[in-house]
Amino acid sequence: MNNCTIQYNKAQFIHVDIICTKQTQIEPQVVFKNSIMKKKIIFVNHNYEIKHPELYKCSTIKYINCSFIHNKRLIYSHFSQITIDNCYFLETEKSNDDCSQVQSFIISSNTLLHGNSIVCEIENCVFNNITLRNSIPAISDAKYSDIKITNWIFLNLNVNNGLLGEESKYVLKNVILKNIKTNSKALFHILYQNIEFNNVEVKDFECIGDGGDTSFILYDSGEANFKMTIKNFRIQDGISNGPLIKIIGNSNEFLFENSNITNIISYGSFISNESKNSKVIFSNVKISENINTSKEECGGIHFNNNINLSITNSKFINNNSKSNGGAICFDEISNLRLNLSSNEFSKNNAVNGGAIYMKNGKIINMNENKTLIIENNIFNENSAEDFGGAMYSEFQKIYLAILVNNKFSYNKAGILGGGIFSPNSVVENLFNLENNIYLNNTVNSIINDYTSKPAYILLEPDFPDNLIQITTGAYLNLVFTLYDEFNRNTCSFIQGKFYLFYYNLNNFANPNKYNLKFKIENYNDDIELRIMDLEVLVSSCNSNHILNKIKCKIKREYLKIYLFR
């Protein structure tokens, strides 16, 4: 059919019945060229005797240089191959038709492509000004199909559901999406199939479904092992009420390379991988100027469970997380194989771990040791509100990591660990810190390249025989110094020291010998008090001593040390 205009016919326009089981010709069975179709329905029903994977080859429909305007239920295809070449789609409408008006196997819909077990290649199409308010995908709800989309442009779409059906295999190549809005669970929701995005550009989008439960891409691999590939992907200037890209399933692979994520505001991570087992490769990726506004979901990129991860030659710049891990968060990790090489982490911000946050899961396999490599990375000007300006580690097997030739410079934290912080057990939770460069990492403008929480307290000076002799009314000066697990002063006290001054002892102690003991209160973490009990010998004052106002008291022979965060 060539150079035709068909419009405003309420009945179906063409119903094609094809009976074949084996391909007998190369050319399509039906071809439409240079035609305009308005409010038309085209049906292709393929009858067969034996079902097999190549059944579609003997039922082929091709559209060339066609325009589809104001269409409802445009194409229904059953075990057939559809090729759409250089076609134009405008203002697809919502359908309110009753199913009884058409064949019984057709559902009332406004999707472009409907059917099962089809192979479809659609090229050179433009979709503009489309608003769909029903609950089915805008382009295709085909199931168990293999669909390739090439050289498509989507402009000004507002849809209640996603673009594509969940249960088919897709390849999207050279696709542009601009000014897109959806309140569905995901614009692209893929179940139990492989999917590939190649050279896809996205700008100005809104995923405004339920808070925390909507995404631009939701990939569920199910129980089997499937793969999502994203190459040459550029997405910018958008908002999402959940993770931008969310990956779930029992076992999957995720390849992400030569791609940019820029200026995204998401309620959750920009990329969240919650799979039980996942192999992930990032290469030549730039993630910049993004904000995770959720205080519950950590990280710009979030990984958990059993992860085999490689990130190389990538940049994470000026990302912000209202939780932990401004660029990357490893949370609830059961096992980790890691290659983090030749990357840049700059100006990222979070509550803890300005660039990277790492923490165990409740169950961790301590018997299986994976390779962990962190080398040739730059951590510059990252910041944490609390701990670990560049990196926070509470992962028990990170001590296995090979950490070499990394540069930590001008990172800062609000409380401890301007460069790197591990709360405790640094023998397990932190790597060998040598063979790296540390430059001007600070806490409150004080150099603090790496540290742990306070590990122990010492008393200064050291009193011989643990005996203090003092006259009533004299000063008793005690200085307590905090040390971290690296045996360095830590800044929980004033520059690592806490000063106590006692005056006018005759107001609360008669001349006698007292035992002075120490205890710590108002501090829930473990800390060792490396101080022996002291004997205090108080002698009577004489005319040369001046009595002063009481400042402190010793009660029940204990001196309480209060630590405040």
Side-chain angles (χ1 to χ4, degrees):
M1 183 175 292
N2 187 21
N3 197 25
C4 295
T5 300
I6 307 99
Q7 60 184 348
Y8 306 118
N9 188 333
K10 291 185 178 180
Q12 65 187 51
F13 172 54
I14 293 179
H15 186 130
V16 181
D17 275 315
I18 297 176
I19 303 174
C20 68
T21 301
K22 185 177 180 181
Q23 183 180 16
T24 57
Q25 65 183 67
I26 297 176
E27 295 299 318
Q29 277 72 25
V30 180
V31 178
F32 296 92
K33 291 183 178 180
N34 308 310
S35 297
I36 298 174
M37 301 182 188
K38 296 183 178 180
K39 297 189 176 182
K40 293 295 96 199
I41 308 167
I42 299 171
F43 301 87
V44 181
N45 185 36
H46 183 185
N47 297 306
Y48 56 89
E49 296 179 355
I50 302 174
K51 183 178 179 180
H52 58 84
E54 296 189 350
L55 193 62
Y56 68 90
K57 289 186 177 181
C58 65
S59 175
T60 302
I61 312 296
K62 189 169 186 178
Y63 302 86
I64 304 173
N65 301 325
C66 293
S67 296
F68 301 90
I69 301 172
H70 299 296
N71 289 288
K72 308 174 183 180
R73 300 191 310 263
L74 181 57
I75 300 170
Y76 172 85
S77 178
H78 178 245
F79 285 98
S80 299
Q81 176 172 277
I82 307 293
T83 301
I84 300 178
D85 187 1
N86 196 33
C87 294
Y88 180 79
F89 298 83
L90 178 64
E91 296 184 359
T92 301
E93 297 179 350
K94 176 182 177 181
S95 174
N96 295 314
D97 295 344
D98 193 315
C99 290
S100 62
Q101 296 180 6
V102 294
Q103 299 294 330
S104 60
F105 55 81
I106 303 299
I107 65 171
S108 178
S109 70
N110 58 316
T111 192
L112 169 65
L113 182 62
H114 174 75
N116 296 328
S117 303
I118 62 175
V119 174
C120 181
E121 295 184 16
I122 311 175
E123 300 179 351
N124 306 315
C125 297
V126 177
F127 295 83
N128 191 13
N129 297 323
I130 296 178
T131 298
L132 303 176
R133 296 302 184 196
N134 60 351
S135 59
I136 65 170
I139 303 303
S140 170
D141 66 350
K143 295 183 178 181
Y144 325 124
S145 301
D146 193 336
I147 298 174
K148 185 175 182 180
I149 295 171
T150 306
N151 301 326
W152 279 34
I153 299 176
F154 296 90
L155 304 173
N156 308 311
L157 267 65
N158 189 342
V159 295
N160 268 11
N161 207 300
L163 291 182
L164 304 172
E166 302 170 358
E167 299 179 66
S168 289
K169 178 181 177 181
Y170 298 97
V171 174
L172 288 83
K173 185 177 181 181
N174 303 330
V175 174
I176 296 174
L177 300 101
K178 291 186 177 180
N179 194 19
I180 310 297
K181 185 176 183 178
T182 179
N183 61 2
S184 66
K185 197 175 186 71
L187 190 67
F188 294 97
H189 187 186
I190 308 301
L191 293 175
Y192 324 139
Q193 298 287 342
N194 296 325
I195 185 168
E196 179 179 341
F197 297 85
N198 193 349
N199 196 29
V200 174
E201 179 182 345
V202 185
K203 187 175 183 181
D204 298 324
F205 69 92
E206 297 180 34
C207 299
I208 54 173
D210 294 338
D213 195 31
T214 186
S215 300
F216 186 82
I217 298 174
L218 174 56
Y219 184 67
D220 185 352
S221 63
E223 296 300 318
N225 188 283
F226 289 104
K227 183 176 183 178
M228 177 166 66
T229 301
I230 300 179
K231 298 180 179 180
N232 307 305
F233 183 79
R234 299 168 299 282
I235 185 167
Q236 67 182 74
D237 303 335
I239 62 173
S240 177
N241 267 355
L244 179 71
I245 300 174
K246 186 174 182 178
I247 305 166
I248 58 177
N250 183 66
S251 178
N252 52 55
E253 297 181 37
F254 176 32
L255 174 62
F256 192 45
E257 65 179 25
N258 302 323
S259 299
N260 296 344
I261 298 176
T262 308
N263 194 29
I264 306 300
I265 300 175
S266 63
Y267 188 75
S269 307
F270 325 132
I271 300 176
S272 178
N273 192 330
E274 301 175 11
S275 310
K276 293 182 180 178
N277 302 277
S278 189
K279 180 180 180 181
V280 181
I281 298 175
F282 281 41
S283 177
N284 194 28
V285 170
K286 184 177 181 180
I287 298 178
S288 60
E289 311 290 339
N290 305 294
I291 301 175
N292 172 2
T293 62
S294 173
K295 294 182 180 180
E296 305 297 328
E297 300 295 329
C298 76
I301 303 174
H302 182 201
F303 299 101
N304 59 17
N305 298 317
N306 188 355
I307 294 291
N308 182 349
L309 173 64
S310 174
I311 301 179
T312 58
N313 301 307
S314 296
K315 295 183 178 182
F316 300 83
I317 299 175
N318 202 24
N319 300 291
N320 185 289
S321 172
K322 299 301 182 182
S323 180
N324 301 317
I328 302 174
C329 173
F330 298 91
D331 193 15
E332 297 296 327
I333 291 292
S334 60
N335 221 330
L336 176 65
R337 183 190 300 271
L338 177 64
N339 177 26
L340 195 67
S341 301
S342 303
N343 304 292
E344 178 184 350
F345 298 85
S346 295
K347 298 183 179 181
N348 302 288
N349 174 265
V351 177
N352 296 299
I356 296 177
Y357 179 89
M358 308 181 76
K359 189 174 182 178
N360 286 340
K362 294 179 181 178
I363 300 175
I364 182 169
N365 187 349
M366 296 301 296
N367 297 320
E368 185 177 1
N369 295 329
K370 302 288 188 178
T371 301
L372 303 170
I373 299 174
I374 304 174
E375 63 181 1
N376 301 318
N377 299 288
I378 296 173
F379 295 86
N380 183 60
E381 294 187 75
N382 302 286
S383 62
E385 295 177 18
D386 293 341
F387 301 99
M391 187 179 298
Y392 178 109
S393 175
E394 210 171 332
F395 179 55
Q396 285 183 321
K397 301 182 75 173
I398 196 65
Y399 70 91
L400 296 170
I402 300 171
L403 189 82
V404 294
N405 200 30
N406 300 284
K407 183 177 181 180
F408 297 84
S409 59
Y410 298 96
N411 303 287
K412 60 183 179 180
I415 298 178
L416 287 175
I420 301 172
F421 177 81
S422 181
N424 48 45
S425 303
V426 296
V427 174
E428 294 179 345
N429 293 340
L430 209 56
F431 28 69
N432 188 340
L433 295 169
E434 298 177 357
N435 302 317
N436 296 282
I437 298 172
Y438 303 93
L439 177 64
N440 291 330
N441 302 289
T442 61
V443 173
N444 298 323
S445 301
I446 298 171
I447 298 297
N448 187 246
D449 291 323
Y450 49 85
T451 190
S452 69
K453 284 186 177 180
Y456 61 92
I457 301 175
L458 295 180
L459 173 64
E460 300 175 3
D462 186 17
F463 295 98
D465 302 321
N466 297 322
L467 176 65
I468 300 174
Q469 298 187 49
I470 194 167
T471 303
T472 298
Y475 290 97
L476 172 58
N477 299 330
L478 301 177
V479 180
F480 299 90
T481 305
L482 279 177
Y483 291 89
D484 62 15
E485 293 192 26
F486 300 98
N487 300 313
R488 300 184 306 177
N489 285 8
T490 185
C491 297
S492 287
F493 295 158
I494 302 172
Q495 294 187 355
K497 298 180 184 294
F498 179 54
Y499 299 87
L500 292 179
F501 303 97
Y502 287 89
Y503 311 98
N504 198 6
L505 294 179
N506 70 337
N507 281 281
F508 57 86
N510 295 320
N512 206 340
K513 182 181 287 188
Y514 295 87
N515 291 323
L516 185 60
K517 299 181 180 181
F518 302 88
K519 65 186 299 185
I520 297 173
E521 290 189 354
N522 198 40
Y523 191 72
N524 296 324
D525 290 331
D526 293 332
I527 189 168
E528 184 181 358
L529 191 60
R530 296 183 183 178
I531 302 173
M532 301 292 291
D533 295 345
L534 296 177
E535 286 187 342
V536 180
L537 180 60
V538 180
S539 58
S540 299
C541 61
N542 54 45
S543 58
N544 294 325
H545 294 130
I546 300 174
L547 301 182
N548 297 298
K549 187 178 179 180
I550 297 174
K551 297 295 182 182
C552 298
K553 291 185 178 181
I554 300 176
K555 283 187 175 182
R556 299 177 186 174
E557 300 180 337
Y558 281 95
L559 174 61
K560 296 181 179 180
I561 302 174
Y562 293 91
L563 301 184
F564 295 95
R565 178 173 167 176

